[in-house]
Amino acid sequence: EFVKETGSKKELLNQILYRIEYAKNFPEIGRRVTEFHYLLSHIPYIQNIITTNWDTFFEDYTDALPIIHDKDFVFANYDSKRKVYKIHGSISSPGSIIATQEDYEECYRNLNCGILGSSLKLLLATKTIIFVGFSFGDEDLDKIFNFILKIIYIIIHL
């Protein structure tokens, strides 16, 4: 909606970056925003994190290797390294940010046939998933989750 109203994805990215930097520059706000990330960093059993967040807090606090693009998988074979799958991109790679309707449509296509989508399908099919900090009423997450479950269902019934 912001991009529709302003006509500028660049301005949206500037606003996102401003808010992330604001949280980092004010210790009390920063602690509140990153409390979950800090606590998660002390749980060694969690090796894979899936997020739609654009910030770099998982990378910063949990020492997770960000997987943003399919080409990032060349580095993903470090089994002992925690990974964070950034479904909607990362502010560290502004071109990866999923924010417009066109971006979302491309995201769904990539989840369908890309390496990132295949990895998420494998995780959902073979691992126990704990959902934290989002609502199953979130339209986008519901669409992604149902999309991946549909693909898994098809694969299982082949």
Side-chain angles (χ1 to χ4, degrees):
E1 290 302 315
F2 182 91
V3 174
K4 276 186 198 176
E5 289 177 21
T6 64
S8 174
K9 186 173 178 179
K10 181 179 177 184
E11 182 57 31
L12 174 64
L13 296 176
N14 286 333
Q15 290 292 321
I16 294 166
L17 187 56
Y18 172 78
R19 287 177 182 231
I20 292 169
E21 291 302 317
Y22 187 85
K24 287 181 179 180
N25 289 325
F26 290 91
E28 181 59 30
I29 295 171
R31 275 192 296 277
R32 291 176 70 194
V33 169
T34 60
E35 182 177 15
F36 174 75
H37 306 84
Y38 174 77
L39 294 171
L40 184 65
S41 72
H42 292 84
I43 305 173
Y45 309 107
I46 298 176
Q47 290 297 307
N48 296 293
I49 302 163
I50 304 167
T51 186
T52 57
N53 294 354
W54 298 316
D55 60 66
T56 60
F57 297 140
F58 280 114
E59 297 95 297
D60 298 343
Y61 285 85
T62 67
D63 193 34
L65 176 71
I67 306 294
I68 304 166
H69 307 281
D70 284 353
K71 62 186 174 184
D72 294 334
F73 278 89
V74 77
F75 303 105
N77 63 354
Y78 300 110
D79 289 333
S80 62
K81 181 78 172 168
R82 190 177 271 175
K83 295 167 198 68
V84 58
Y85 297 87
K86 312 279 292 217
I87 298 174
H88 287 170
S90 175
I91 198 64
S92 67
S93 177
S96 70
I97 297 289
I98 305 299
T100 66
Q101 187 61 39
E102 294 80 21
D103 294 339
Y104 279 95
E105 290 168 12
E106 182 179 348
C107 176
Y108 299 135
R109 281 193 301 276
N110 290 338
L111 286 174
N112 185 35
C113 58
I115 296 171
L116 180 60
S118 296
S119 294
L120 293 174
K121 292 172 210 166
L122 181 63
L123 284 173
L124 287 168
T126 62
K127 303 292 182 191
T128 300
I129 307 295
I130 300 171
F131 294 90
V132 178
F134 84 99
S135 165
F136 276 106
D138 182 296
E139 182 180 330
D140 178 53
L141 288 174
D142 283 349
K143 186 172 182 179
I144 291 171
F145 187 67
N146 289 327
F147 175 79
I148 292 172
L149 285 179
K150 181 177 156 187
I151 298 299
I152 291 170
Y153 179 82
I154 291 168
I155 292 169
I156 290 171
H157 289 91
L158 286 179

